[in-house]
Amino acid sequence: MLRRRASAVCTATVAVGVLALAGLTGTASADPSPAPSAPVAGAEQLSPGLLKAMERDLGLTAGRARARVGAETRAAAVAAGLRHSLGAGFAGARVSGDAAELTVATTDAADAARITEAGARAVVVGHSLAELTSAKAALDRVALHRAPEGIPVWYVDVRTNRVVVEAGRGAATDTFLAAAGVSRKWVTISQSAGLPRTFTDLRGGDAYYMNGTGRCSIGFPVKRGTQGGFVSAGHCGTPGVSTSGYNQQAQGSFQGSTFPGRDYSWVAANTGWTPRPLVNGYGNGDVTVTGSTEALEGSSVCRSGSTTGWHCGTVQQRNSSVTYQEGTVSGVTRTNVCAEPGDSGGSFLSGSQAQGVTSGGTGNCSQGGTTYFQPVNPALQAYGLTLVTSGTPTDPTDPTDPGGSWAVGTVYAAGDVVTYGSAGYRCLQGHQAQAGWTPVNVPALWQAL
């Protein structure tokens, strides 16, 4: 643990143009084309600090950074629609390049035409995403009881259509696969000498201290009813541990924490701390958080932490598993963004959309490395929290609301069913409901039943 001590193949291609940013966790309407009303991740309002970090780490000018984030957002809506329409044959989606060219994989060659008609590149592969995810889940179940020695990371790689297991010794990998009942035909073995560790050390990215024994970073400010607080990494503290803020003033205490297995926690703050929809820009302007729609693999992503400030890179693999000294954590997202001790718990964003909290990784910000983040939506759902965003209403009462179970501020997962007025709708991709993103207005997120 890097705890910061207080003392220290068939293809068909069509040009996509501007397309991608919101996750593989969705299904969508029979027409997968993004609707004009589909939400865009605040591409025109990106903070100067985030733009500066994207220029440094991704080589993008401000204009190219805005264009990329907007393109990634729209590609995600297309991918969500295709995931629904392709059904069991869907084998993953990813974006590439500044133009966010969207590639969608399927196990059925007959789907290629539908994919290209939606403006994406079609790839026919041998394994569906559901099959690969099932194989990885079997490995996760084994690791939950006993962390595999010498195997730091495993994940589903939609680019290669394989489960990748990073390992230092071949014998350990064979034992791990056998215990899980996973055939080698699903798996690519990648040799790795890296040993991930956690970056342990009410605005996202700010420092906070745990009982005076260590430092971590705030992920995102949240609310639970009228109680304010924030989400962070689970390895930063256990329930009952008190926290102090960046100014060393009493701040609050951990109410919930999960680690290993997952790596999330939430801290209830004292009344003197007001949660804001902001992430620390470290001298370059704060980022305003507008939602939590998940980014596709290949999308740009930036991190804010109290040790190293802003750093950017891309989403490499979602739903990864990583073994730390303390045990295995599953369901994290793998990135090529660097981090260091004390950055743990800090904010990961794609554009203005909250992605997750820093968990751990390898390397540092002098030589580069790999960092994993715990997606934020599962943490919000686990503790019944609402992400504080620029769209969080001060008065939730809307006299024009037609009624129903849909509500602003609620985190919805793909497959959730709500009512809006007298009609029913199924969620197509994971997101937090924002004002104006009603089921009837945003068909990229909701399908009428």
Side-chain angles (χ1 to χ4, degrees), residues 199-281:
F199 293 122
T200 308
D201 219 3
L202 279 167
R203 175 180 56 176
D206 280 352
Y208 71 93
Y209 301 85
M210 302 82 72
N211 278 353
T213 61
R215 170 170 58 84
C216 276
S217 300
I218 292 175
F220 296 96
V222 297
K223 285 189 174 181
R224 186 173 181 177
T226 59
Q227 173 66 60
F230 60 86
V231 290
S232 188
H235 69 261
C236 289
T238 56
V241 170
S242 62
T243 67
S244 56
Y246 65 91
N247 55 6
Q248 300 290 349
Q249 299 299 306
Q251 181 189 66
S253 62
F254 283 85
Q255 304 298 301
S257 179
T258 300
F259 179 79
R262 295 292 187 265
D263 194 5
Y264 47 60
S265 63
W266 93 277
V267 172
N270 302 333
T271 54
W273 295 79
T274 302
R276 303 291 188 189
L278 301 174
V279 171
N280 192 337

Side-chain angles (χ1 to χ4, degrees), residues 314-365:
T314 58
V315 174
Q316 294 182 312
Q317 285 87 27
R318 299 174 55 77
N319 192 21
S320 299
S321 295
V322 56
T323 298
Y324 301 123
Q325 182 179 357
E326 301 81 11
T328 295
V329 175
S330 298
V332 291
T333 298
R334 187 173 185 258
T335 75
N336 60 2
V337 184
C338 71
E340 295 182 7
D343 287 329
S344 269
S347 323
F348 263 89
L349 301 104
S350 191
S352 63
Q353 298 290 304
Q355 296 300 307
V357 299
T358 303
S359 176
T362 58
N364 55 50
C365 288

Side-chain angles (χ1 to χ4, degrees), residues 288-310:
T288 299
V289 178
T290 63
S292 60
T293 304
E294 297 172 334
L296 289 175
E297 295 184 9
S299 296
S300 58
V301 68
C302 296
R303 177 194 57 73
S304 178
S306 60
T307 298
T308 59
W310 276 109

Side-chain angles (χ1 to χ4, degrees), residues 46-422:
L46 299 181
S47 78
L50 186 142
L51 290 173
K52 185 176 181 180
M54 292 182 76
E55 179 180 7
R56 180 195 63 209
D57 295 337
L58 296 174
L60 299 175
T61 63
R64 288 172 60 201
R66 291 189 182 96
R68 176 166 176 165
V69 169
E72 290 169 349
T73 302
R74 289 183 285 273
V78 175
L82 287 169
R83 177 168 188 163
H84 173 70
S85 62
L86 300 182
F90 180 77
R94 66 185 189 274
V95 293
S96 59
D98 293 350
E101 180 181 344
L102 176 63
T103 298
V104 176
T106 178
T107 58
D108 187 348
D111 291 333
R114 184 183 305 177
I115 294 171
T116 55
E117 286 171 3
R121 175 176 177 264
V123 179
V124 180
V125 296
H127 310 302
S128 70
L129 183 61
E131 291 172 325
L132 294 174
T133 301
S134 177
K136 179 186 171 291
L139 297 174
D140 291 346
R141 287 191 292 271
V142 171
L144 184 64
H145 298 288
R146 183 176 181 180
E149 184 178 354
I151 303 176
V153 179
W154 56 99
Y155 50 82
V156 172
D157 187 355
V158 298
R159 183 181 61 83
T160 61
N161 194 232
R162 306 279 286 177
V163 176
V164 177
V165 177
E166 295 188 1
R169 293 185 293 108
T173 304
D174 291 337
T175 301
F176 186 34
L177 296 180
V182 173
S183 169
R184 287 287 289 261
K185 74 176 183 178
W186 302 95
V187 176
T188 295
I189 309 300
S190 173
Q191 297 300 311
S192 173
L195 295 176
R197 72 278 195 212
T198 48
F199 293 122
T200 308
D201 219 3
L202 279 167
R203 175 180 56 176
D206 280 352
Y208 71 93
Y209 301 85
M210 302 82 72
N211 278 353
T213 61
R215 170 170 58 84
C216 276
S217 300
I218 292 175
F220 296 96
V222 297
K223 285 189 174 181
R224 186 173 181 177
T226 59
Q227 173 66 60
F230 60 86
V231 290
S232 188
H235 69 261
C236 289
T238 56
V241 170
S242 62
T243 67
S244 56
Y246 65 91
N247 55 6
Q248 300 290 349
Q249 299 299 306
Q251 181 189 66
S253 62
F254 283 85
Q255 304 298 301
S257 179
T258 300
F259 179 79
R262 295 292 187 265
D263 194 5
Y264 47 60
S265 63
W266 93 277
V267 172
N270 302 333
T271 54
W273 295 79
T274 302
R276 303 291 188 189
L278 301 174
V279 171
N280 192 337
Y282 284 96
N284 296 291
D286 293 342
V287 177
T288 299
V289 178
T290 63
S292 60
T293 304
E294 297 172 334
L296 289 175
E297 295 184 9
S299 296
S300 58
V301 68
C302 296
R303 177 194 57 73
S304 178
S306 60
T307 298
T308 59
W310 276 109
H311 285 276
C312 300
T314 58
V315 174
Q316 294 182 312
Q317 285 87 27
R318 299 174 55 77
N319 192 21
S320 299
S321 295
V322 56
T323 298
Y324 301 123
Q325 182 179 357
E326 301 81 11
T328 295
V329 175
S330 298
V332 291
T333 298
R334 187 173 185 258
T335 75
N336 60 2
V337 184
C338 71
E340 295 182 7
D343 287 329
S344 269
S347 323
F348 263 89
L349 301 104
S350 191
S352 63
Q353 298 290 304
Q355 296 300 307
V357 299
T358 303
S359 176
T362 58
N364 55 50
C365 288
S366 297
Q367 300 174 332
T370 297
T371 300
Y372 303 88
F373 68 78
Q374 166 68 57
V376 68
N377 284 339
L380 299 176
Q381 292 172 319
Y383 300 123
L385 305 171
T386 297
L387 183 69
V388 176
T389 71
S390 60
T392 301
T394 54
D395 179 4
T397 303
D398 180 359
T400 65
D401 187 345
S405 61
W406 181 88
V408 170
T410 302
V411 176
Y412 293 107
D416 286 351
V417 175
V418 301
T419 55
Y420 186 72
S422 59

